[in-house]
């Protein structure tokens, strides 16, 4: 089907947020208030922090300040792949923190298990399905990459199933697949907006005071409490946790470590039973292909296909702007790739198209830290894999604020910071050249040019 025709009626808004389940916003902060802990940010990072602070100590008074609506940003726009990995994949973790990899993998699975238990405990219905993820190869060089990965996995005793061409097509039927790896327990599919709204509800039930449409404009410190000034009020906290993602940071030092990268997605209309039967997909795994520029895709609970990824766009100057959330060039490209992957779904149309901004850092996995004499903690830099990992990051922030040394705070990953990005305009030049090099590698059997090899040697890179 002509991609332009297939997109003609697609709404220009995130599918997950376009739902009757979206709750009315909580009131703005008016006047002054104080609390034991003030959390800034109402995405997964802030929501998990507020919820777990209350679970750790129900007598604590906790305030959460969200600048717009709960879950409106990356949290309500993502693919809904809730992964165990805390390191943006095994290979990245192994390369950076080989001595801790067993522990990081174990802690990641525990984190995912605890997410599942929290949903049960608080009755959060977000269509959580622990289907795992199917990594597929669509080019011979990607098959080599998966086989290398398999060697590592067997050494670490992880639960992956290798699939040859026929076996992978028996799972999900695409003529483009050459082989695959099914990571069985390390990933769940969920509806991210319903997760965010469910966490908000759980926070409210435990007594967290949630204020929406209350952007924090500035911070001050009187030595005992930190004040967070919003347009109509101030919240003072003995402790403060920042879960503000990639937005202009309240702590200046963070701007060196994260850059905004836009990622785009499409949602189809629900597949009919006959269309679904043509694709198979009985085990409903999330799927990711294995190029440097990759697609991710999955079924929703009403059997639509979410299809996203490939272009990861950095706009020169590094600003976050509403107009960047729509990019027709990318939508047309994504639609074309969808029909190449599933020619049997030729008549299927798209109902939604949207983009969202990712907090990319140069090591791809989040970093953590403290300021104001240890009374403020932050976590950022999830680089497109924060649906599950933000809960771990929230626990790190709470550990740091409590002053306790825990297994988490002792990890080198937690103690170290990523390499900073250079300032603009050099930053734009370096990132655009890296993006170009990545696209070239995909067109030349994965061969990485001198620039990418140099970055690899320095442990640096660009990803989404
Ligand atoms: C298109 C897309 C697809 C993705 N797919 C996946 C996926 O499948 N799996 C996965 O694991 N990850 C995915 N991600 C990444 C994932 O969505 C993020 O890692 C995660 O949501 C980050 O949560 P967060 O709370 O840190 O940030 P955000 O969701 O960005 O939330 C930050 C919040 O802080 C608020 N805020 C910022 N500054 C202030 C302030 N000064 N005052 C008050 N509030 C403030 C913002 O308004 C915002 O609501 C994807 C992201 C995108 C954009």
């Amino acid at each position: 089907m002509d991609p332009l025709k297939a997109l003609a009626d697609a709404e220009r808004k995130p599918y997950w947020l376009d739902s009757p389940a979206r709750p009315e916003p909580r009131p703005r902060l008016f006047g002054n208030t104080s609390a034991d802990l003030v959390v800034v940010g109402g995405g997964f990072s802030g929501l998990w922090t507020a919820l777990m602070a209350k679970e750790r100590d129900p007598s604590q008074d906790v305030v959460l300040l969200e600048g717009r609506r709960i879950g409106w940003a990356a949290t309500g726009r993502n693919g809904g792949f809730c992964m165990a990995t805390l390191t943006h994949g095994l290979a990245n973790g192994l390369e950076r923190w080989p001595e801790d990899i067993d522990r990081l993998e174990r802690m990641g699975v525990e984190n995912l298990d605890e997410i599942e238990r929290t949903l049960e405990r608080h009755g959060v219905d977000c269509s959580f399905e622990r289907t795992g993820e199917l990594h597929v190869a669509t080019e011979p060089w990607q098959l080599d990459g998966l086989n290398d990965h398999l060697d590592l996995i067997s050494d670490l005793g992880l639960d992956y199933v290798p699939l040859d061409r026929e076996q992978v097509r028996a799972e999900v039927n695409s003529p483009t697949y050459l082989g695959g790896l099914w990571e069985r327990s390390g990933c769940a599919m969920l509806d991210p907006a319903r997760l965010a709204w469910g966490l908000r509800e759980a926070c409210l039930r435990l007594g967290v005071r949630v204020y929406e449409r209350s952007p924090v404009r500035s911070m001050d410190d009187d030595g005992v409490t930190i004040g967070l000034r919003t347009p109509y009020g101030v919240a003072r906290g003995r402790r403060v946790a920042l879960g503000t993602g990639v937005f202009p940071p309240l702590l200046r030092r963070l701007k060196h470590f994260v850059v905004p990268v836009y990622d785009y997605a499409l949602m189809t209309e629900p597949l009919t039973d006959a269309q679904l039967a043509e694709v198979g997909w009985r085990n409903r795994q999330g799927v990711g292909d294995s190029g440097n520029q990759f697609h991710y895709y999955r079924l929703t609970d009403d059997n639509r296909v979410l299809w996203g990824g490939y272009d990861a766009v950095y706009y020169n100057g590094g600003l976050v702007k509403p107009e960047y959330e729509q990019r027709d060039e990318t939508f047309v490209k994504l639609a074309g790739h969808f029909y190449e992957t599933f020619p049997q779904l030729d008549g299927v149309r798209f109902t939604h198209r949207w983009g969202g901004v990712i907090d990319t850092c140069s090591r791809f996995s989040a970093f953590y830290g403290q300021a104001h004499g240890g009374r403020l903690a932050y976590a950022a830099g999830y680089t497109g894999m924060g649906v599950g990992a933000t809960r771990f990051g929230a626990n790190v922030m709470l550990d740091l604020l409590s002053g306790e040394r825990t297994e988490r705070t002792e990890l080198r990953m937690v103690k170290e910071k990523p390499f900073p990005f250079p300032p603009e305009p050099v930053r734009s030049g370096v990132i655009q050249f890296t993006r170009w090099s990545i696209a070239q590698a995909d067109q030349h059997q994965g061969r990485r040019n001198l620039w990418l090899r140099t970055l690899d040697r320095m442990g640096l890179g660009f990803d989404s």
Side-chain angles (χ1 to χ4, degrees):
M1 187 171 192
D2 173 6
L4 280 177
K5 255 197 204 151
L7 285 162
D9 300 327
E11 305 252 26
R12 292 184 179 275
K13 48 183 158 178
Y15 168 77
W16 307 113
L17 295 173
D18 184 21
S19 158
R22 188 175 199 180
E24 284 302 307
R26 299 293 301 164
R28 294 178 161 88
L29 175 67
F30 288 116
N32 297 343
T33 191
S34 59
D36 296 312
L37 173 68
V38 180
V39 178
V40 187
F44 288 138
S45 185
L47 289 163
W48 280 116
T49 308
L51 181 67
M52 292 194 299
K54 271 294 196 186
E55 288 188 327
R56 285 182 183 205
D57 176 3
S59 72
Q60 273 194 86
D61 188 16
V62 179
V63 159
L64 186 150
L65 300 173
E66 163 52 43
R68 290 177 62 172
R69 300 275 297 271
I70 293 292
W72 76 274
T75 289
R77 293 161 189 256
N78 59 65
F81 286 55
C82 185
M83 300 177 212
T85 181
L86 304 174
T87 57
H88 206 270
L90 175 64
N92 189 48
L94 198 57
E95 209 172 286
R96 295 174 194 281
W97 304 288
E99 74 287 6
D100 280 337
I101 198 68
D102 287 334
R103 195 191 298 203
L104 287 164
E105 286 290 308
R106 169 181 54 77
M107 290 170 118
V109 173
E110 283 168 7
N111 185 56
L112 183 55
D113 290 344
E114 282 164 21
I115 290 174
E116 190 167 4
R117 280 198 290 273
T118 308
L119 302 183
E120 280 161 22
R121 194 163 62 248
H122 290 285
V124 176
D125 174 11
C126 59
S127 300
F128 183 96
E129 294 181 81
R130 199 133 173 192
T131 58
E133 181 174 358
L134 200 58
H135 305 269
V136 299
T138 56
E139 301 274 348
W141 64 272
Q142 296 175 9
L143 212 48
D144 296 341
L146 288 185
N147 286 334
D148 291 348
H149 202 59
L150 191 59
D151 284 346
L152 284 178
I153 290 157
S154 351
D155 288 351
L156 291 166
L158 300 174
D159 182 19
Y160 281 58
V161 185
L163 303 170
D164 65 20
R165 189 171 173 276
E166 275 62 46
Q167 288 166 324
V168 73
R169 291 182 188 191
E171 288 296 328
V172 180
N173 185 16
S174 168
T176 63
Y177 296 171
L178 304 178
L181 263 187
W182 182 5
E183 179 182 2
R184 273 215 295 219
S185 49
C187 187
M189 295 297 114
L190 53 74
D191 175 333
R194 273 171 39 222
L195 172 57
W197 300 330
L199 292 175
R200 181 188 94 145
E201 192 51 41
C203 282
L204 291 172
R205 272 203 303 268
L206 295 189
V208 176
R209 289 183 285 141
V210 177
Y211 298 98
E212 296 184 50
R213 296 179 291 178
S214 302
V216 177
R217 303 273 198 235
S218 63
M219 267 196 320
D220 71 84
D221 185 353
D222 65 14
V224 181
T225 60
I226 297 171
L228 299 146
R229 182 170 295 278
T230 67
Y232 305 109
V234 178
R236 301 206 74 83
R238 285 196 313 108
R239 299 279 181 272
V240 167
L242 299 183
T244 51
V246 74
F247 295 92
L250 293 165
L251 208 57
R252 284 176 63 83
R253 70 184 76 157
L254 296 185
K255 72 173 197 262
H256 305 297
F257 297 116
V258 282
V259 297
V261 173
Y262 280 81
D263 190 39
Y264 298 90
L266 303 175
M267 187 67 90
T268 70
E269 59 195 350
L271 303 188
T272 62
D273 290 346
Q275 285 165 336
L276 188 57
E278 293 272 319
V279 188
W281 222 336
R282 280 176 302 278
N283 290 310
R284 303 180 57 82
Q285 307 93 330
V287 185
D289 51 33
S290 311
N292 294 297
Q293 293 178 286
F294 59 93
H295 304 92
Y296 53 86
Y297 41 106
R298 55 160 295 185
L299 292 169
T300 61
D301 54 6
D302 61 351
N303 294 330
R304 296 162 186 269
V305 181
L306 179 148
W307 180 266
Y310 198 76
D311 279 344
V313 182
Y314 178 78
Y315 291 93
N316 288 343
L319 297 178
V320 175
K321 289 187 180 179
E323 55 264 40
Y324 295 159
E325 293 170 10
Q326 292 289 319
R327 193 168 193 263
D328 285 345
E329 184 192 337
T330 296
F331 296 138
V332 169
K333 195 189 293 177
L334 281 174
H337 293 172
F338 173 81
Y339 296 121
E340 279 164 29
T341 304
F342 296 125
Q344 64 275 52
L345 299 183
D346 191 45
V348 171
R349 301 169 76 92
F350 298 97
T351 62
H352 291 76
R353 51 183 140 174
W354 71 95
V357 60
I358 282 174
D359 54 340
T360 287
C361 73
S362 64
R363 73 182 201 187
F364 315 146
S365 67
F367 60 92
Y368 317 88
Q370 280 172 289
H372 293 267
R375 287 173 294 128
L376 178 149
Y378 57 84
Y382 291 94
T383 317
M385 285 200 197
V387 173
T390 41
R391 182 184 176 281
F392 177 86
N395 257 326
V396 171
M397 286 198 275
L398 293 173
D399 290 352
L400 293 173
L401 289 174
S402 74
E404 273 172 58
R405 287 170 69 164
T406 64
E407 190 182 19
R408 285 180 284 259
T409 61
E410 294 313 291
L411 291 166
R412 188 153 67 80
M413 176 181 86
V414 169
K415 291 181 171 170
E416 286 177 355
K417 297 282 178 297
F419 199 79
F421 289 96
E424 290 289 4
V426 178
R427 180 180 290 194
S428 293
V430 167
I431 292 176
Q432 302 305 10
F433 185 61
T434 308
R435 289 183 60 230
W436 177 83
S437 301
I438 286 171
Q440 288 295 305
D442 279 341
Q443 279 159 30
H444 295 95
Q445 293 80 44
R447 276 199 299 276
R448 298 171 81 73
N449 66 13
L450 184 61
W451 173 245
L452 292 182
R453 292 202 305 276
T454 308
L455 290 181
D456 291 346
R457 267 198 300 280
M458 293 169 70
L460 302 175
F462 178 80
D463 210 333
S464 62

